[in-house]
Amino acid sequence: MRSRRRHPLLVPVLLCALAVLAARPGSDGDGDADAGAEVVRLYQEAAAATQRYENGRQEADARRAEAQRYEAQLDRQREEIAVLDDDLGRIARTQYRGGGQLPLTAQMLLAEDPERLMRGQRVLWRADLAVNNALAKSRRAEARLAADEAEARAAWRELERRNAGLAALKQKIERKLEAARSRLRGRSEASASAGSCPGSVRIDQPELHFTGSWVAPVETYDLSASFGSGGSRWANRHTGQDFAVPLGTPVRAVGAGQVVKVSCGGAFGIQVVLRHAGGYYTQYAHLAGLAVDQGDRVETGQWIGQSGSTGNSTGPHLHFEVRVTPETGSALDPVPWLARHGVTV
């Protein structure tokens, strides 16, 4: 049974982090070094494109809100024009009230005395003024309506054009990511099969602003196989907690410590083991790439590698263990251990 846990993660940061996929030149040879440089370039391009996508998406959201404001304004103007039309009809009807159906001008011609004639002139003047004002107001409202409708149509056309561009950019990003992940998968699996670690790559770490001393090993994940669960893939019981994540996801040190083991090959594939204060150790297995070397000191939340599917694995994920020794056979259930350190997964 899978439980779900989500945390916010900016796409550009994620893509930049994946630049660690490129290994340092070593025993792999110049060909693999060139391949690593290509992977870095792909992820850098994807990161830049993603930033443009995010900026464009925010502009599109603003444009959509503006177009919706136009629509609301147009609705109000249509209501005002409908009221003006009613007023014009009401004014016209008043000119025929009284004296049968004779208009006010006819009534003035038939007036029997000057006072009645003057009264009719005043009524006619007021009626004409009201009609002229109402007509002018209606014409102005209709002109504003026409202009605002044209502006609203232009806004929606611009929004559609922008959305089409963003969709194309997103597809381009996805293609680049898939290409880079495919290269990473091939290189990491080849290294794990040969039992030769590809070597770590030093990257610019994100600014670490954690409120606590401990964090989850990955930022965005689904929980999959849990501690103690059975299965044909393990000799006895599952000795850790699996975090299902896409290949290449940055893996973080759950707490400050020191790298005591970096190895490749075997059931765990590419793995890192850290020693923490209090005599505890944490293991990060099935990695695709490394960002630390044995003996390095790390801080809470520091990126130490990238998730993968090396070793005894059926798909991309991080296998995370908590131990009382650096070796297998001393594992604790990591979920309550993290909870005791203020981390809920």
Side-chain angles (χ1 to χ4, degrees):
M1 181 176 179
R2 292 160 64 95
S3 63
R4 197 172 188 83
R5 180 83 175 173
R6 294 290 184 192
H7 300 272
L9 178 63
L10 291 177
V11 176
V13 174
L14 170 61
L15 298 181
C16 290
L18 296 176
V20 296
L21 305 183
R24 289 198 304 252
S27 60
D28 293 339
D30 293 339
D32 283 345
D34 292 341
E38 176 70 8
V39 170
V40 171
R41 186 185 66 79
L42 284 172
Y43 274 100
Q44 288 174 336
E45 287 185 4
T50 299
Q51 186 61 61
R52 292 196 302 273
Y53 176 83
E54 285 297 299
N55 294 340
R57 183 188 58 78
Q58 293 173 6
E59 293 177 9
D61 289 344
R63 180 68 68 177
R64 181 179 294 105
E66 181 181 355
Q68 290 170 345
R69 286 195 298 271
Y70 277 135
E71 288 296 333
Q73 181 178 341
L74 294 178
D75 289 339
R76 290 193 298 271
Q77 290 182 8
R78 293 185 185 102
E79 293 174 359
E80 292 174 359
I81 290 175
V83 171
L84 289 175
D85 290 342
D86 290 342
D87 289 343
L88 287 173
R90 189 164 49 253
I91 291 171
R93 287 192 297 271
T94 60
Q95 293 189 5
Y96 290 89
R97 288 178 181 168
Q101 297 300 317
L102 292 175
L104 287 172
T105 52
Q107 294 181 41
M108 289 173 61
L109 293 174
L110 298 176
E112 297 176 355
D113 56 70
E115 183 179 349
R116 186 174 179 184
L117 176 62
M118 294 300 295
R119 188 166 57 250
Q121 285 180 330
R122 286 193 297 272
V123 171
L124 180 59
W125 176 80
R126 286 195 298 269
D128 286 342
L129 181 62
V131 169
N132 289 335
N133 288 340
L135 287 173
K137 188 174 182 180
S138 178
R139 283 194 292 269
R140 289 195 299 271
E142 289 175 351
R144 288 196 306 271
L145 177 62
D148 289 343
E149 284 179 334
E151 191 167 358
R153 286 194 297 271
W156 281 112
R157 284 196 298 271
E158 172 62 18
L159 177 60
E160 291 172 355
R161 184 193 66 79
R162 188 181 299 277
N163 285 343
L166 293 179
L169 179 58
K170 186 174 182 294
Q171 291 176 354
K172 182 178 180 180
I173 292 170
E174 291 172 348
R175 289 194 298 269
K176 286 181 178 293
L177 285 176
E178 183 56 34
R181 283 174 176 154
S182 177
R183 294 173 67 85
L184 169 60
R185 182 183 298 109
R187 295 189 67 238
S188 63
E189 290 177 355
S191 295
S193 297
S196 174
C197 291
S200 65
V201 171
R202 302 302 176 180
I203 60 174
D204 292 333
Q205 294 287 333
E207 293 186 10
L208 305 178
H209 299 293
F210 299 108
T211 57
S213 300
W214 302 87
V215 296
V218 284
E219 193 166 355
T220 302
Y221 54 83
D222 291 330
L223 295 180
S224 51
S226 58
F227 180 82
S229 58
S232 59
R233 298 191 303 277
W234 310 300
N236 296 301
R237 291 283 179 176
H238 192 229
T239 54
Q241 174 64 57
D242 286 352
F243 294 80
V245 289
L247 189 142
T249 298
V251 174
R252 311 183 298 190
V254 296
Q258 185 173 19
V259 180
V260 295
K261 183 177 184 180
V262 174
S263 65
C264 302
F268 289 119
I270 301 173
Q271 64 168 320
V272 173
V273 178
L274 304 180
R275 180 176 62 237
H276 305 280
Y280 291 103
Y281 298 80
T282 55
Q283 179 206 29
Y284 311 78
H286 304 308
L287 302 178
L290 298 167
V292 292
D293 290 316
Q294 192 156 323
D296 287 350
R297 299 203 64 84
V298 297
E299 301 177 29
T300 299
Q302 180 177 330
W303 290 337
I304 59 174
Q306 296 74 53
S307 64
S309 188
T310 56
N312 184 13
S313 172
T314 59
H317 73 285
L318 169 68
H319 174 86
F320 174 72
E321 284 191 20
V322 175
R323 303 171 177 171
V324 295
T325 74
E327 305 301 330
T328 58
S330 61
L332 306 172
D333 189 340
V335 172
W337 185 88
L338 286 171
R340 289 195 299 272
H341 290 79
V343 179
T344 302
V345 297

